[in-house]
């Protein structure tokens, strides 16, 4: 099987058993519902917490708005970033920055992004959460090869390891590719990132991720906090070498030939520095006003449990998730976010006294990783916002109207003569199809997990029907595109795919699991 040759890098016998009880060489970090993976240790001198100001990613402006389409140009290139004081960090960056520039678009107004690849490696761009035709979805083998065509001649055999036939090519382009997004979807905070087969983990770790925010009239009518009172917060953990460079345990540091990570990190890579919008443990000065905080867990493998201390009067007032607004606001003392998940929340800083220090913590972590960022409440008074009882109308997907029930098991298993991460006992291959949903039909997908697996479904969001014998969990409300599965857990989701026929994928968004075969195709028609 071609997929076997793509995955042969996984260390023989590394995943020799299921769970800690049989001696897997990795741990669930900490105790309880924490992260599957191994933590890297920085050797660089790290700044004290809450001494560097928060930055917001730049907003990319369209190069053209003619004919009702917002057109953007984005160049992916190597660059250096100033992350740690006194050091420079080489990155892979959309427009040479990390995180990449934010695109803002409106529901119903098409967007076209011309991505130009000026890196020495292929890239694939996926708009995560986008309701997107298959040719622009960022299928893992739809590579944008480097502009330098000698790359193809040097590495023609890179997909044919261990004597197996090369992996069939996708819809390959050279130098650049235009991704077209109809934007026929609700307002929500999406994100885009590299999705190249077998190399998503190291590419995202080195910087290839950014935000794409969709607006619409329904959301505008609520009068939610905007401008300086809306803060997008991209949360990433990383580790740094003494010279400021990013540490990542790639088997092949060039990201050219051999995919994968070294044996101790096959379960996931965790960093020991928490970045918010690329700033380590930052502070943000806030007015005595209501803020809209839009969190993205862009970590490779780290799960987060977010909590503010002192706790605001309304806690974290959730108003949205990956698929946009909830039907009604929900109050949380803390909120769990797996990789790729988002939280849209309101926090009223007007109830704190001037000079108050409000700290965001991750209760799934210990030591300095317990800290994320700090808000410093100033004297200036800004607008307050009271969330209405009803935010939006969400059509429920009725499980009794499902036309089919499918079962998918996410687990450790054999990948050829090695061990890896698989779905239904099969490693990923572009030539295999796990499901053929009919457009417009409701389906129930039953998902089983052996370890922590944040499962992401492309093309359309879904609704969580239940977990085990119970209903949805406390963080499952609304339209989701990623569900967090715990070890040994079974969950049920209702899915309905619309509009776009073609080949799409679903996969674990622990990026090291994804790179090691935990992905499968579905074909809509």
């Amino acid at each position: 099987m071609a997929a076997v040759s793509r995955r042969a890098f996984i260390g023989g016998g590394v995943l020799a058993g299921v769970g800690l009880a049989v001696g897997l060489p990795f741990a669930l970090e900490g105790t309880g519902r924490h992260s599957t993976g191994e933590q890297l240790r920085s050797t660089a001198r790290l700044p004290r917490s809450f001494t560097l100001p928060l930055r917001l990613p730049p907003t990319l402006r369209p190069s053209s708005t003619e004919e009702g389409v917002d057109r953007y140009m984005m160049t992916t290139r190597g660059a250096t970033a100033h992350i740690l004081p006194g050091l420079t960090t080489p990155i892979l960056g959309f427009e040479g920055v990390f995180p990449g520039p934010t695109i803002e678009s409106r529901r119903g107004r098409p967007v076209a992004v011309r991505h130009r690849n000026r890196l020495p490696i292929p890239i694939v761009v996926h708009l995560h959460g986008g309701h997107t035709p298959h040719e622009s979805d960022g299928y893992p083998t739809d590579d944008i090869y480097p502009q330098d065509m000698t790359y193809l001649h040097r590495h023609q055999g890179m997909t044919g390891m261990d004597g197996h036939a090369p992996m069939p090519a996708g819809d390959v382009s050279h130098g650049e590719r235009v991704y077209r997004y109809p934007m026929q979807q609700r307002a929500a905070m999406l994100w885009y990132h590299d999705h190249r087969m077998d190399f998503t983990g190291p590419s995202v770790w080195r910087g290839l991720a950014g935000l794409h925010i969709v607006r619409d009239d329904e959301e505008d009518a609520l009068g939610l906090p905007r401008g300086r009172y809306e803060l997008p917060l991209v949360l990433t953990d990383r580790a740094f070498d003494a010279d400021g460079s990013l540490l990542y345990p790639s088997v092949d540091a060039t990201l050219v030939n051999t995919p994968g990570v070294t044996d101790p990190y096959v379960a996931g890579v965790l960093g020991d520095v928490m970045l918010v919008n690329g700033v380590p443990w930052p502070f943000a000065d806030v007015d005595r006003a209501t803020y809209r905080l839009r969190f993205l867990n862009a970590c490779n493998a780290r799960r987060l449990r977010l909590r503010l201390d002192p706790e605001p009067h309304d806690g974290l007032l959730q108003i949205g998730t990956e698929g946009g607004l909830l039907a009604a606001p929900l109050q949380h003392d803390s909120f769990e976010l797996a990789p790729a998940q988002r939280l849209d929340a309101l926090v009223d800083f007007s109830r704190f006294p001037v000079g108050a220090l409000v700290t965001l913590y991750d209760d799934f972590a210990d030591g300095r990783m317990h800290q994320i960022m700090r808000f410093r409440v100033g004297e200036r008074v800004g607008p307050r916002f009271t969330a209405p009882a009803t935010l939006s109308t969400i059509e429920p997907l009725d499980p009794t109207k499902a036309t089919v029930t499918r079962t998918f098991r996410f687990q450790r298993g054999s990948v050829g003569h090695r061990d890896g991460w698989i779905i239904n006992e099969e490693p990923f291959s572009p030539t295999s199809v796990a499901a053929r949903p009919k457009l417009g039909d409701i389906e129930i997908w039953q998902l089983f997990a052996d370890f922590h697996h944040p499962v992401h479904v492309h093309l359309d969001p879904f609704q969580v029907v239940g977990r085990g014998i119970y209903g949805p969990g406390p963080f499952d409300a609304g339209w989701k595109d990623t569900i967090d599965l715990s070890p040994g857990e079974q969950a049920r989701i209702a899915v309905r795919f619309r509009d776009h026929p073609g080949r799409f994928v679903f996969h674990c968004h622990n990026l090291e699991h994804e790179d090691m075969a935990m992905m499968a195709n579905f074909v809509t028609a």
Side-chain angles (χ1 to χ4, degrees):
M1 177 185 291
V4 172
S5 66
R6 293 290 281 180
R7 310 295 175 177
F9 67 92
I10 303 175
V14 170
L15 300 178
V18 178
L20 299 174
V22 291
L24 278 174
F26 55 82
L28 304 181
E29 187 194 48
T31 58
R33 290 173 56 88
H34 290 184
S35 304
T36 302
E38 185 71 20
Q39 184 165 287
L40 287 165
R41 300 293 177 182
S42 294
T43 57
R45 182 178 180 181
L46 304 177
R48 290 186 296 115
S49 300
F50 319 134
T51 58
L52 299 174
L54 177 73
R55 298 189 300 262
L56 298 185
T59 299
L60 190 65
R61 302 301 178 190
S63 58
S64 169
T65 58
E66 296 177 357
E67 300 175 350
V69 178
D70 292 334
R71 294 179 172 84
Y72 295 85
M73 297 282 290
M74 195 177 297
T75 300
T76 305
R77 56 185 174 86
T80 56
H82 296 280
I83 299 175
L84 302 179
L87 298 173
T88 56
T89 300
I91 64 165
L92 310 180
F94 292 109
E95 288 294 288
V97 296
F98 166 64
T102 299
I103 290 178
E104 290 201 16
S105 59
R106 288 203 67 83
R107 181 177 186 172
R109 184 175 176 88
V111 168
V113 185
R114 183 179 299 275
H115 279 278
R116 300 184 297 187
N117 183 11
R118 299 300 182 262
L119 294 172
I121 56 174
I123 64 169
V124 176
V125 183
H126 169 53
L127 180 58
H128 185 120
H131 179 61
T132 304
H134 74 98
E135 62 269 16
S136 291
D137 186 57
Y139 188 80
T141 59
D142 288 353
D143 292 320
I144 308 173
Y145 278 105
Q147 188 178 33
D148 179 4
M149 294 295 288
T150 60
Y151 177 94
L152 296 177
H153 301 296
R154 292 199 308 268
H155 306 293
Q156 283 288 347
M158 64 178 290
T159 58
M161 299 179 223
D162 288 359
H164 294 270
M167 184 67 69
D171 182 10
V172 172
S173 56
H174 307 291
E176 63 181 38
R177 181 188 183 98
V178 178
Y179 292 83
R180 304 183 189 280
Y181 306 128
M183 289 294 120
Q184 296 292 344
Q185 58 186 104
R186 307 173 77 225
M189 189 173 80
L190 316 180
W191 62 302
Y192 61 95
H193 59 79
D194 185 58
H195 205 253
R196 175 189 169 202
M197 182 167 168
D198 299 337
F199 290 93
T200 296
S203 293
V204 172
W205 187 276
R206 294 187 183 191
L208 292 184
L211 295 174
H212 186 134
I213 297 175
V214 184
R215 312 283 188 184
D216 68 8
D217 293 342
E218 178 187 45
E219 185 183 272
D220 290 348
L222 294 175
L224 293 167
R226 289 287 297 270
R228 63 183 290 144
Y229 301 108
E230 179 181 25
L231 298 180
L233 302 171
V234 180
L235 310 181
T236 55
D237 60 337
R238 297 290 186 264
F240 296 86
D241 209 345
D243 62 357
S245 60
L246 287 163
L247 292 173
Y248 186 85
S250 291
V251 172
D252 177 2
T254 69
L255 309 187
V256 171
N257 285 302
T258 307
V261 292
T262 56
D263 287 353
Y265 300 93
V266 294
V269 180
L270 309 174
D272 65 350
V273 179
M274 179 55 69
L275 306 179
V276 183
N277 297 346
V279 182
W281 299 291
F283 71 86
D285 289 323
V286 295
D287 299 341
R288 301 183 71 226
T290 304
Y291 279 75
R292 183 182 188 181
L293 305 182
R294 311 191 73 170
F295 298 97
L296 161 65
N297 182 346
C299 301
N300 280 32
R302 183 178 293 276
R303 299 171 63 254
L304 306 170
R305 188 172 198 169
L306 305 179
R307 175 178 59 87
L308 287 170
D309 184 33
E311 183 180 351
H313 175 75
D314 292 325
L316 284 166
L317 191 66
Q318 182 189 11
I319 60 170
T321 186
E322 292 99 80
L325 291 172
L326 301 179
L330 295 174
Q331 185 175 346
H332 301 277
D333 295 332
S334 61
F335 197 93
E336 296 179 16
L337 278 185
Q341 291 186 318
R342 280 91 78 201
L343 166 64
D344 195 349
L346 299 178
V347 174
D348 186 0
F349 288 104
S350 72
R351 295 180 178 269
F352 293 100
V354 174
L357 303 177
V358 183
T359 305
L360 179 68
Y361 288 106
D362 171 18
D363 284 343
F364 280 161
D366 300 315
R368 292 197 70 187
M369 293 305 289
H370 180 48
Q371 304 168 339
I372 298 179
M373 67 174 296
R374 175 166 286 170
F375 299 94
R376 307 190 310 193
V377 180
E379 296 182 356
R380 178 171 171 170
V381 176
R384 294 183 62 188
F385 178 83
T386 301
T390 300
L391 296 168
S392 180
T393 300
I394 294 180
E395 174 195 0
L397 298 182
D398 186 350
T400 66
K401 296 181 179 179
T403 59
V404 64
T405 297
R406 306 184 191 273
T407 298
F408 300 108
R409 299 183 184 276
F410 294 74
Q411 61 193 124
R412 174 215 53 93
S414 296
V415 181
H417 61 285
R418 310 285 183 173
D419 288 322
W421 301 97
I422 58 176
I423 302 174
N424 283 0
E425 301 185 354
E426 291 288 336
F428 176 66
S429 169
T431 60
S432 297
V433 178
R436 296 184 181 274
K438 183 179 179 182
L439 290 173
D441 282 0
I442 297 174
E443 297 191 354
I444 299 298
W445 287 15
Q446 297 186 118
L447 311 175
F448 292 83
D450 57 354
F451 290 98
H452 290 295
H453 295 300
V455 176
H456 170 50
V457 180
H458 286 221
L459 180 57
D460 275 296
F462 53 79
Q463 295 175 7
V464 180
V465 175
R467 293 177 180 267
I469 63 174
Y470 303 103
F475 315 113
D476 289 336
W479 289 106
K480 305 284 290 179
D481 65 38
T482 305
I483 180 172
D484 184 19
L485 299 179
S486 295
E489 189 172 33
Q490 178 263 338
R492 301 178 308 285
I493 62 174
V495 298
R496 181 182 60 193
F497 300 109
R498 303 173 294 112
D499 301 330
H500 302 307
R503 181 179 59 169
F504 300 88
V505 295
F506 63 99
H507 56 85
C508 179
H509 221 282
N510 177 319
L511 296 185
E512 284 70 47
H513 294 190
E514 175 185 343
D515 283 348
M516 290 183 282
M518 190 167 265
M519 183 158 54
N521 291 302
F522 65 94
V523 176
T524 58

